[in-house]
Amino acid sequence: MFGAVLHFNPNSARATYGRAMCLDRLAEVQSSNSKLEQAIMTYRQVIDLADEDPNLVPLPLLRLAAEKCIERMRFRGFLGKAIRVQQRLLQRFPDDLGLRNQMGVTFLLMNQAPAAKEVFQEVLQKWPNDGFAQVHYGFVLKTSYNNNSAGAEFLRRGIESGAEGTQDGRFYFHLGDALQRQGLENEAYEVYDNGVEKGLFLNRYQRSLYNVDRLTSRPVWTLEQTTHQEFFRKLEENWEIIRDEGVALLSESPADGYRPEAENLRDTGEWKQYELYSRGRKITANCVKAPKTCELVKYAAATGCKRGQIKFSVMMQGTHVWPHTGPTNCRLRAHLGLVVPEGLRLRVGQEQIRWQQGKVVVFDDSWEHEVWHEGASPRLILIVDVWHPDLSEEEWKTLSPI
Ligand code: LMR
Ligand code: MN
């Protein structure tokens, strides 16, 4: 029917918008990308109409069409297109705070931290108390510029504003982290406790953000508790074979061998990893150079763990890894000790773990953990993530990879 209206009134903004909404619904019902793309194009026609002749489109309708257009473009992954629409709209509505903030969010989705920083900075010059801009500005400063003090300050003010979009686990997570890295433990745990109260974290130490709620939770697990003990015993029995492959790979050139940890988790030192499996997929180029290990780790709950990895991990003396938390409670993390000098400590929650050569230890890395290497030579372990034993094989299939 909207098509019929448009046949006689091709410049009807309302009918164009109506048509876009129909396509949008159809896209959803049919899970169809091509319908979604048609919907996006049709929303954009409303904006084009306004460019041709502002009298054709009432402003609230233009605003609505633009919002939908941007939102659907983001969903479809057309981030560059979304930015262009946002820029066009900002020329028309230069004082629209929401629009400016949303452009900052699109830049964040594009991993363009400098552009996002600039947008939120501009917003805060004009609207210094806008909580949405404050949390996002703080987030960028903390995560992309390593500025823990200013980052924490803006995150705190934004969260305290209670404004829409500010009560998100990621903001509490990074505020606490920024405080911990400044040595402000008590303040950090206050933030975490508030997050627990809001239902954003499982407990003050377990702050993963991709969780299944009912799973048994404890920081350190015995091999028996994991139900995977036979698999872990097999790794222990073959630890020397695994060690020899891991050690031999240490002399590979850095570009195709061990890669430096890239998640900004280190306070001091050097820490590198050699991935064999990631998100339930074999890294073939690396496995060909560690064939025996890759054969030994074949076990559905490990090699099929779409929310984990299997990797060698080498840590140099003098390394301190900041307290940190993994992304999900759906996996347990096993460490097989391969080369273990004296002087190492791993804290998980309020418990301590010590590595031993040829022995597997298991912990839940969604609990806060922290590592100190105060020994005299490098330490090497094999990390093997396995599905949490409370998950069904049906859930192994349906949970999204992380
Ligand atoms: C971690 O999983 O964060 C670390 O304990 C890994 C490692 O190599 O010690
Ligand atoms: Mn970790």
Side-chain angles (χ1 to χ4, degrees):
M1 289 176 79
F2 285 121
V5 175
L6 286 167
H7 182 75
F8 295 106
N9 298 288
N11 286 342
S12 164
R14 288 180 187 80
T16 308
Y17 182 73
R19 192 161 179 274
M21 286 217 302
C22 294
L23 288 162
D24 206 350
R25 293 277 167 82
L26 281 171
E28 202 174 317
V29 174
Q30 300 174 0
S31 302
S32 159
N33 273 340
S34 91
K35 282 279 179 330
L36 178 58
E37 286 161 21
Q38 288 175 44
I40 288 170
M41 270 177 3
T42 313
Y43 284 127
R44 200 168 47 190
Q45 279 167 16
V46 178
I47 306 170
D48 293 339
L49 273 176
D51 277 351
E52 268 167 47
D53 178 355
N55 292 323
L56 288 174
V57 190
L59 281 187
L61 184 63
L62 174 59
R63 201 62 188 73
L64 208 58
E67 238 163 60
K68 292 245 164 108
C69 184
I70 291 160
E71 202 266 317
R72 307 317 281 156
M73 281 175 166
R74 274 196 198 149
F75 180 78
R76 184 68 188 90
F78 296 163
L79 299 174
K81 283 196 166 79
I83 288 285
R84 282 193 291 281
V85 169
Q86 285 169 320
Q87 281 164 338
R88 265 168 76 185
L89 266 120
L90 270 176
Q91 285 172 358
R92 190 179 292 262
F93 304 105
D95 292 325
D96 192 314
L97 169 62
L99 206 56
R100 232 171 250 282
N101 274 335
Q102 286 306 321
M103 188 159 84
V105 172
T106 309
F107 279 128
L108 276 181
L109 293 170
M110 294 169 89
N111 284 324
Q112 291 198 21
K117 179 166 170 258
E118 202 179 305
V119 170
F120 292 120
Q121 215 161 10
E122 274 171 20
V123 170
L124 288 170
Q125 265 159 22
K126 246 181 157 163
W127 296 276
N129 296 319
D130 182 63
F132 188 95
Q134 284 169 336
V135 279
H136 286 83
Y137 187 55
F139 179 84
V140 176
L141 290 180
K142 193 272 177 185
T143 57
S144 296
Y145 291 85
N146 245 325
N147 188 341
N148 290 318
S149 56
E153 186 51 26
F154 281 100
L155 280 163
R156 187 186 58 74
R157 278 159 52 188
I159 287 173
E160 280 175 4
S161 78
E164 204 181 320
T166 59
Q167 303 304 300
D168 184 307
R170 284 169 301 177
F171 299 134
Y172 283 74
F173 185 105
H174 284 289
L175 171 54
D177 194 47
L179 293 168
Q180 279 181 303
R181 291 184 184 204
Q182 295 174 83
L184 301 168
E185 284 286 305
N186 294 338
E187 287 87 339
Y189 283 107
E190 225 171 89
V191 170
Y192 295 145
D193 289 342
N194 288 338
V196 174
E197 223 165 86
K198 293 232 152 76
L200 302 170
F201 302 132
L202 294 165
N203 69 56
R204 68 189 330 212
Y205 294 115
Q206 195 179 17
R207 302 188 299 272
S208 46
L209 296 174
Y210 299 89
N211 300 316
V212 170
D213 279 338
R214 56 167 216 283
L215 305 184
T216 308
S217 173
R218 61 170 83 88
V220 180
W221 290 60
T222 67
L223 303 198
E224 286 67 30
Q225 284 166 337
T226 69
T227 73
H228 303 300
Q229 68 267 36
E230 276 176 40
F231 167 62
F232 293 135
R233 296 282 178 227
K234 187 178 93 179
L235 296 183
E236 288 181 338
E237 280 158 24
N238 293 283
W239 77 277
E240 285 158 305
I241 298 174
I242 297 171
R243 176 199 59 194
D244 290 349
E245 281 191 336
V247 168
L249 287 164
L250 284 169
S251 44
E252 287 261 308
S253 79
D256 30 54
Y258 284 82
R259 302 264 170 96
E261 171 271 323
E263 289 174 88
N264 185 25
L265 298 177
R266 263 165 310 155
D267 173 17
T268 57
E270 223 185 311
W271 172 24
K272 295 181 181 179
Q273 306 186 332
Y274 186 97
E275 274 194 331
L276 302 172
Y277 277 82
S278 179
R279 301 172 157 215
R281 289 180 161 209
K282 190 177 186 167
I283 316 283
T284 310
N286 286 349
C287 272
V288 293
K289 291 184 248 166
K292 292 177 193 153
T293 304
C294 280
E295 193 56 36
L296 284 163
V297 295
K298 266 194 197 154
Y299 178 68
T303 44
C305 182
K306 285 190 297 177
R307 293 196 159 188
Q309 296 112 41
I310 300 176
K311 56 196 179 186
F312 288 109
S313 174
V314 66
M315 191 177 283
M316 305 306 164
Q317 54 276 25
T319 302
H320 171 228
V321 179
W322 288 117
H324 66 283
T325 298
T328 175
N329 72 343
C330 293
R331 70 185 188 209
L332 298 177
R333 175 154 283 193
H335 283 177
L336 171 64
L338 299 174
V339 179
V340 182
E342 290 293 308
L344 280 142
R345 271 183 305 143
L346 166 59
R347 172 183 68 84
V348 186
Q350 292 175 297
E351 300 191 35
Q352 300 286 334
I353 288 185
R354 281 186 189 276
W355 292 284
Q356 281 180 55
Q357 284 181 187
K359 291 286 171 223
V360 168
V361 289
V362 181
F363 68 103
D364 179 338
D365 83 322
S366 64
W367 284 66
E368 176 183 305
H369 52 288
E370 179 172 11
V371 190
W372 297 263
H373 187 339
E374 291 161 349
S377 57
R379 179 230 60 180
L380 181 68
I381 59 173
L382 178 74
I383 297 178
V384 182
D385 292 333
V386 290
W387 283 118
H388 191 292
D390 294 348
L391 291 169
S392 67
E393 293 194 20
E394 193 48 42
E395 286 169 307
W396 296 4
K397 284 185 217 140
T398 51
L399 285 166
S400 62
I402 293 180

